[in-house]
Amino acid sequence: MSAYKPPHIPASEITPEHIYLNRRTLLAAGLAAGAAFATGVGSDTANAATLSQGEALKTVPGPFPAPKRAETSYQDVTHYNNFYEFGVRKSDPFENSGDFQPYPWTFEIGGMVQKPKTVDIETLLTQFPLEDRIYRMRCVEAWSMVIPWVGIPLKSIIDMAEPLGSAKYVAFEGVVRPKEMPGQRGFGQPMQWPYLEGLRLDEANHPLTIIAVGLYGKTLLNQNGAPMRLVVPWKYGFKGIKSITKITLTDKQPPNSWNLLQPSEYGFYANVNPNVPHPRWSQATERVIGEGGGLFGGGQRIDTQMFNGYGDEVASLYAGMDLTKNY
Ligand code: MTE
């Protein structure tokens, strides 16, 4: 006679049922979500931090082909970052973001809209399919990466609030939490908080523009802008505001943090343009992170492409504009 073996108990029977349902609902990302909210699971979700950093997400393939260059490793994408709320060095976001709590999280959409809303990020993840979008990213400091984002078209999110016909721009605000963000505490802070960004409404509505909620099929780590950040692949990386708390439709060009800090160096548009040098360095080439050299220097340089290679898709947005003045 063989010894008694206990039956295998599936996780669904061990985990308290409401948490299990939440998690399944979230990972299903839109499938079956409506039912969950109708039964009140959604309100639980808003109070309990059910998601965490680096958690697997269910995704569908995005609409754009992957760029021809190799993807930057997960290690490099998560260890070489700009996120001044955690400090100004590239290693600071990884090293100093451990206290930041990205879940639960709500953000506001308001301003010139019919239906201003406060949206819970976990609710958002159940309302839209999460798309895999592999984009080239080009930083103003002349380095680049290829990142497999998980995102939602920004247009889908904006449309939830029904913008008025008179709205022309979208303003974004980052988070202010000095207790969790050492770069926002003490003396010698590099900029004013919150971090601010803006897009023209047609740029925001462009199908390439996404709110990223993950990368490499997992929720964002703090250093990459958890739980939600902007990604506009034809613009320099500084437009990609992280940890967004507020999205405001407006008829005036919104301020952006780098332009406020140094207007002669950073404009509103920030389109990748090899022909317009940064006042202190050329923008004609870029260092490809992960292709030779160390993370912090050296390695292969390649020619930078107009609009970061997305010219066929976006050049028409700027027809007739002088891009040396609108930098
Ligand atoms: N968002 C916030 N809130 N704070 C920042 O300092 N830095 C920007 C942008 N978004 C920044 C931010 C800059 S300069 C860049 S290059 C990108 O984030 C870097 O994104 P990554 O670290 O995920 O590659």
Side-chain angles (χ1 to χ4, degrees):
M1 246 177 78
S2 60
Y4 171 72
K5 259 171 82 181
H8 174 72
I9 303 170
S12 59
E13 287 171 39
I14 302 167
T15 314
E17 194 183 14
H18 73 282
I19 295 174
Y20 173 69
L21 283 176
N22 272 352
R23 192 150 300 238
R24 278 216 334 192
T25 304
L26 291 164
L27 297 182
L31 318 168
F37 286 103
T39 58
V41 173
S43 50
D44 270 355
T45 306
N47 299 324
T50 50
L51 271 181
S52 55
Q53 295 180 70
E55 185 165 338
L57 290 165
K58 184 168 179 178
T59 63
V60 298
F64 295 99
K68 295 201 175 65
R69 302 202 72 82
E71 289 163 25
T72 312
S73 70
Y74 188 72
Q75 170 75 13
D76 288 356
V77 172
T78 55
H79 287 74
Y80 190 80
N81 300 100
N82 276 336
F83 200 164
Y84 279 20
E85 286 86 335
F86 297 114
V88 299
R89 293 174 310 167
K90 300 283 180 275
S91 54
D92 283 340
F94 160 66
E95 283 171 6
N96 300 337
S97 62
D99 290 339
F100 184 62
Q101 299 292 334
Y103 303 103
W105 187 272
T106 57
F107 66 97
E108 289 170 36
I109 316 183
M112 300 177 77
V113 299
Q114 302 269 12
K115 296 192 175 158
K117 286 188 190 312
T118 300
V119 184
D120 171 65
I121 182 78
E122 294 172 298
T123 305
L124 185 78
L125 298 196
T126 63
Q127 286 178 334
F128 300 102
L130 305 181
E131 296 176 347
D132 288 308
R133 303 270 194 122
I134 308 182
Y135 285 157
R136 278 173 50 77
M137 303 300 297
R138 168 69 159 77
C139 187
V140 77
E141 295 153 310
W143 45 267
S144 66
M145 298 191 183
V146 173
I147 303 182
W149 298 108
V150 175
I152 299 165
L154 175 58
K155 182 178 192 314
S156 310
I157 296 172
I158 289 175
D159 285 352
M160 288 166 50
E162 299 178 19
L164 302 179
S166 44
K168 297 281 176 285
Y169 294 91
V170 186
F172 302 86
E173 278 187 29
V175 68
V176 184
R177 289 196 197 167
K179 285 196 180 132
E180 297 173 31
M181 304 181 117
Q184 290 184 333
R185 301 197 282 261
F187 297 110
Q189 292 180 39
M191 55 175 56
Q192 296 209 325
W193 312 110
Y195 194 93
L196 301 174
E197 257 309 335
L199 293 173
R200 251 175 26 198
L201 184 55
D202 58 345
E203 298 176 321
N205 282 338
H206 192 281
L208 280 167
T209 305
I210 56 171
I211 290 293
V213 296
L215 58 83
Y216 271 105
K218 298 184 264 200
T219 53
L220 292 174
L221 301 188
N222 286 345
Q223 57 265 42
N224 291 105
M228 55 184 280
R229 55 89 57 81
L230 182 65
V231 174
V232 192
W234 71 93
K235 294 180 180 283
Y236 291 117
F238 70 83
K239 298 298 281 184
I241 179 173
K242 297 176 169 181
S243 306
I244 297 168
T245 60
K246 213 172 189 185
I247 300 177
T248 309
L249 280 286
T250 164
D251 57 359
K252 296 188 183 57
Q253 183 175 298
N256 62 304
S257 287
W258 284 96
N259 175 258
L260 290 172
L261 201 64
Q262 203 53 269
S264 63
E265 300 191 1
Y266 307 101
F268 172 76
Y269 280 95
N271 292 323
V272 175
N273 188 341
N275 310 314
V276 176
H278 184 277
R280 290 183 280 135
W281 56 80
S282 162
Q283 293 290 13
T285 66
E286 64 206 50
R287 183 169 73 88
V288 185
I289 300 289
E291 294 188 15
L295 191 49
F296 293 88
Q300 192 187 350
R301 294 198 80 85
I302 59 170
D303 289 343
T304 292
Q305 298 170 57
M306 189 67 202
F307 298 117
N308 202 22
Y310 297 95
D312 288 349
E313 289 87 357
V314 303
S316 61
L317 293 175
Y318 310 102
M321 281 177 67
D322 181 348
L323 297 181
T324 61
K325 294 209 176 77
N326 296 287
Y327 56 88

